[in-house]
Amino acid sequence: MYNSLKENISALKKMFKNSADFTVREMNLKGQCSIKSAIITIEGMCGKDTLALSLINPLLDYYFECQNPDEIFDTIKNTVLTSSEIVEFTTIDEAISFSTSGFALLVVDGCSRMLAIGAQGFSFRSVSEPESEVVQRGCREGFTEPLRINMTLIRRRIKSPDLVFETVTSGYSSNTQMMICYLQNSVSKQILKAIRERLENCNLKMILASGYLSEYLEDNSSNSLFSGVGISERPDTVCGKLSEGRVAILIDGTPSVIIIPHLFVEEFQSVDDYSNRPYYAAFIRILKYISFFIAVFLPGIYTAFAQFHPEYFPTGLLVKTSDSLSQTPLPVTLEVILITFIYEVMREAGLRIPKPLGHAVSIVGALVIGESAVSAGIISSSTLMVVATAAICSYVTSALYPPIMVLRFFCVIAGGMFGLWGIVLLTCGVLVNMCSKTSVGVPYMSSLAPFSWRSMRDVFVRADWKSLSKRTIKVQKFPETEEI
Amino acid sequence: MQSNITFPSKRLMLSLFVCSVLPILLMGRSFLQSDNIFSSLVSIGFGIFFTLLCFVPFYSIKHRTRLDFSAFAKNTSQTGFFFVSSYYCMYFTVITVSFLIRFCDMFVSGVNPDADTKVIAFLILCICVYGASKGVNPLSRVSIFVFAFLIIAFAVIFFGNIKSFEFAPNSTFVTPDFSNIRSNAADCLIFAFLPVIFGFNSTSTKNLSIKQPVITTLIIFGTLMLTLFFTDFVTGAYSAQQPYSVQLLSKTAYFGDMKGFDSFYLAAVTACVFVFVTAVLISVSNCIVNTSSKRTLVFVSIIAFIMFVLFVCADSYNAVKELLLNNIFLTALNFISALLIPAICLFAYRRKLYD
């Protein structure tokens, strides 16, 4: 920074390319001789009331006895300002970083130092329950876009000095601020080190969502259908994962928090399991596993049986199925693929469509496709039933929807071309892929393969809290965890 | 293909058990075609003894040197390793094609007579090459899932026949008769390929103890006996008319009002084929290259292609097929692969040590 106020303002204006939201409020400080100063803000980032109360009014009201600009600067910093967050800095880069983060910058003529005063007042979404992770008995708070609020939501739940937040900036254009969050006494130092290195190696221009970083954090990300990083919008979920030795990455501007390492069995766990009674939690877990298998395999097995192994159907079902299939013009495989494709189109349209038009989509889907197409004999009711059942089951584990959808298509093609043995071979190939996958060195299929009796207490069933609390299984202690 | 991560040798034994279920499920009515329970039991006893005997050299190598057989042979003699690896590539090719032929024969005769066996073999080899590229550790993890499925499949196949249970023994019980032992013994000796697979994949394992191969062998032959008992005694005369008794038995299976559990049999045998062929291809890759390398995938693909070519030859020429399906020929190969060559290598290693 320069000693001259005008030069500092000019330098910053040049860096911001004279942007329209770059605001300068110049003022003369009262004293024996008039000292010029200025407050620089990005319009909309600072709260006007906070600015006036904690910064402008105190400055204008104070009478400065000293004449030396450096002494005036120190007096302002230590005596005048009422803000709780004041940071001193000396470089242009820091000035840019602070101003774009909602800080107000104070410049004094004749002094090369600057102050960043916390006066954030930008608009943000209030804390509310996340729509993608609704629970019955858990908290109703979810993460929001501002990083500091998300940090607070976690800190309120883990009131321990072991909870550590590390600042990381990534994205050479967006300079997105992130926090690596972990529990000092639980985390694996090796996993932490690997995560830091991977974030450093991230050479993205902009980071606008957590998904941008996922591929940098995973091991061999492009080779697997399943994700090796978990995403959550719930602070209670994140806190639970932190206690198991995992690391959370909070990203400014997105409510989704990345949790790694991430395992396959976690997709079937939810906060409700730990609030409900163990027998009910076990029932729901098993239901989720069964739903996953139905979602992936039912259309493929139906296609294989109808095409190659009709004798596998029970007699009554065989009669009804063959009767409905005989009235349709398309082969079973094509019919299943067509209905699945139409369903995916409708689902995607339902996500993007404006709410007032949502009813129209429902009517089109239910009446035109569901009723009319079956009545006209274009598709069979049994096929529609099968695809609909699989679609509903896929929402039981909604986090797994992308791999379920892709695997379902492949199963239908394998079943339609080769029959049941084709589906089995495909399954074996997918199992090899899943069993060879790791998440920051931890086997992705841990608890199941490598099999661990101790961790089975929280896989298909949920043991009671007295058993669970005896010893927390840390993620780095899973067998065959690789050294990275 | 070698990884630095070690896994418990119990899981490798589990993979071997899954591989062993393949010949059990694929056995035709010619398997242990005997009128007498005593000759069957003696044949099984021979099988247990021979299989355990074949484990001895590989176990000894692993126990003393902590290396698999391929690395051990390479350390013993570079020149000898060339011949050893060539021979075992040939051995693994023959044994894989032999079981692929059996699988395809079962498929054509029991599931779909119009199926193109070349397409079946090609697809199996393609998927197995992908599986082999991941290494023995992921395969052993997949074996956990296959094993769980096998338990369900066997339970369904056996208990699904409860409604038509008839204790009608097809074998004479009283008079001892050892006349068929020689022909039956070869059927039981084909399981000796398991120690060879163990020998080539043991380097990444830990906590190996002498009990593990013994218990695994006993469980394998126990499963075989259970299946034979079910075939011979429970459904008796009906099974005698069918070429593949275990599979077609389930056609008459009833489970409440639902019937027809062939699907479990077909799925089980397909999964076992996958594990077996993948294990063999991994053994081939360990035979050729001992370090993780992209070239390994190329070599394994080439070997898989050679397997496919041999399969096509067997499919086209009956003489080749008969040779590959001859249990005595396979037993001879097993004897050379599991006993003779490892014994020679151990002898050469000891001589090198004393020199």
Side-chain angles (χ1 to χ4, degrees), chain B residues 175-195:
Chain B
T175 312
D177 181 5
F178 298 95
S179 57
N180 292 321
I181 289 175
R182 191 175 59 186
S183 62
N184 292 340
D187 293 340
C188 291
L189 297 183
I190 61 169
F191 289 95
F193 67 85
L194 297 168

Side-chain angles (χ1 to χ4, degrees), chain B residues 162-308:
Chain B
I162 290 281
K163 197 169 178 180
S164 60
F165 181 86
E166 52 173 273
F167 189 72
N170 202 24
S171 308
T172 54
F173 213 75
V174 180
T175 312
D177 181 5
F178 298 95
S179 57
N180 292 321
I181 289 175
R182 191 175 59 186
S183 62
N184 292 340
D187 293 340
C188 291
L189 297 183
I190 61 169
F191 289 95
F193 67 85
L194 297 168
V196 185
I197 295 177
F198 164 78
F200 277 86
N201 289 286
S202 59
T203 196
S204 304
T205 60
K206 59 181 179 181
N207 303 332
L208 177 67
S209 76
I210 190 70
K211 284 191 296 186
Q212 287 168 5
V214 174
I215 292 172
T216 307
T217 306
L218 291 174
I219 290 173
I220 289 167
F221 282 91
T223 309
L224 175 63
M225 286 167 64
L226 191 68
T227 310
L228 287 171
F229 171 80
F230 185 79
T231 306
D232 278 346
F233 286 90
V234 175
T235 39
Y238 173 79
S239 69
Q241 299 158 19
Q242 314 303 325
Y244 286 95
S245 40
V246 178
Q247 174 217 348
L248 292 172
L249 279 173
S250 59
K251 272 202 183 297
T252 63
Y254 289 87
F255 207 79
D257 288 333
M258 292 180 66
K259 65 175 179 184
F261 286 94
D262 274 359
S263 53
F264 280 93
Y265 170 81
L266 183 59
V269 76
T270 308
C272 291
V273 157
F274 170 80
V275 173
F276 169 72
V277 176
T278 307
V280 168
L281 285 174
I282 294 171
S283 306
V284 167
S285 76
N286 289 341
C287 206
I288 299 169
V289 185
N290 241 356
T291 54
S292 298
S293 164
K294 279 193 179 172
R295 285 189 311 162
T296 310
L297 184 59
V298 174
F299 285 127
V300 169
S301 304
I302 292 170
I303 296 292
F305 178 72
I306 294 170
M307 287 176 181
F308 179 68

Side-chain angles (χ1 to χ4, degrees), chain B residues 45-214:
Chain B
F46 267 130
I48 294 173
F49 173 74
F50 186 67
T51 307
L52 284 174
L53 189 65
C54 291
F55 265 113
V56 169
F58 296 111
Y59 176 84
S60 176
I61 290 168
K62 170 69 179 172
H63 186 65
R64 287 182 193 193
T65 65
R66 306 220 181 274
L67 295 172
D68 63 21
F69 180 68
S70 172
F72 172 77
K74 198 171 183 181
N75 284 353
T76 306
S77 164
Q78 288 281 353
T79 318
F81 173 69
F82 174 75
F83 292 104
V84 163
S85 64
S86 305
Y87 166 78
Y88 278 100
C89 284
M90 183 274 301
Y91 167 74
F92 286 130
T93 304
V94 165
I95 202 145
T96 303
V97 174
S98 170
F99 281 106
L100 274 178
I101 292 170
R102 288 167 211 253
F103 175 78
C104 291
D105 280 351
M106 177 280 297
F107 200 95
V108 166
S109 67
V111 181
N112 182 6
D114 299 325
D116 189 345
T117 54
K118 295 181 194 60
V119 171
I120 296 170
F122 180 76
L123 279 170
I124 290 173
L125 285 168
C126 284
I127 297 275
C128 291
V129 164
Y130 171 71
S133 69
K134 297 295 180 184
V136 69
N137 196 348
L139 179 69
S140 66
R141 293 175 191 171
V142 171
S143 302
I144 297 174
F145 295 100
V146 176
F147 175 71
F149 181 74
L150 282 177
I151 291 174
I152 299 169
F154 271 115
V156 168
I157 288 169
F158 290 160
F159 291 110
N161 280 295
I162 290 281
K163 197 169 178 180
S164 60
F165 181 86
E166 52 173 273
F167 189 72
N170 202 24
S171 308
T172 54
F173 213 75
V174 180
T175 312
D177 181 5
F178 298 95
S179 57
N180 292 321
I181 289 175
R182 191 175 59 186
S183 62
N184 292 340
D187 293 340
C188 291
L189 297 183
I190 61 169
F191 289 95
F193 67 85
L194 297 168
V196 185
I197 295 177
F198 164 78
F200 277 86
N201 289 286
S202 59
T203 196
S204 304
T205 60
K206 59 181 179 181
N207 303 332
L208 177 67
S209 76
I210 190 70
K211 284 191 296 186
Q212 287 168 5
V214 174

Side-chain angles (χ1 to χ4, degrees), chain A residues 223 305 308-309 311-315 418 420-422 424-426 428-438 443-445 448-451 479-483, chain B residues 3 5-8 11 103 107 111-112 119-120 123-124 127 130-131 134 137-139 141-142 144-146 251 257-260 262-264 266-267 270-271 274:
Chain A
N223 297 339
F305 280 18
F308 294 100
H309 320 286
E311 69 273 16
Y312 293 171
F313 283 120
T315 316
F418 306 113
L420 185 65
W421 74 278
V424 174
L425 272 185
L426 174 69
C428 289
V430 171
L431 271 177
V432 166
N433 183 272
M434 290 167 74
C435 288
S436 62
K437 184 177 171 63
T438 55
Y444 179 67
M445 297 294 283
L448 295 175
F451 186 76
E480 297 169 40
T481 296
E482 290 178 15
E483 287 184 8
Chain B
S3 167
I5 299 298
T6 55
F7 61 96
R11 230 163 55 210
F103 175 78
F107 200 95
V111 181
N112 182 6
V119 171
I120 296 170
L123 279 170
I124 290 173
I127 297 275
Y130 171 71
K134 297 295 180 184
N137 196 348
L139 179 69
R141 293 175 191 171
V142 171
I144 297 174
F145 295 100
V146 176
K251 272 202 183 297
D257 288 333
M258 292 180 66
K259 65 175 179 184
D262 274 359
S263 53
F264 280 93
L266 183 59
T270 308
F274 170 80

Side-chain angles (χ1 to χ4, degrees), chain A residues 42 45-47 97-104 117-122:
Chain A
I42 304 293
M45 295 292 275
C46 295
S97 174
F98 280 121
S99 59
T100 52
S101 299
F103 284 77
I117 299 102
Q120 285 87 347
F122 46 77

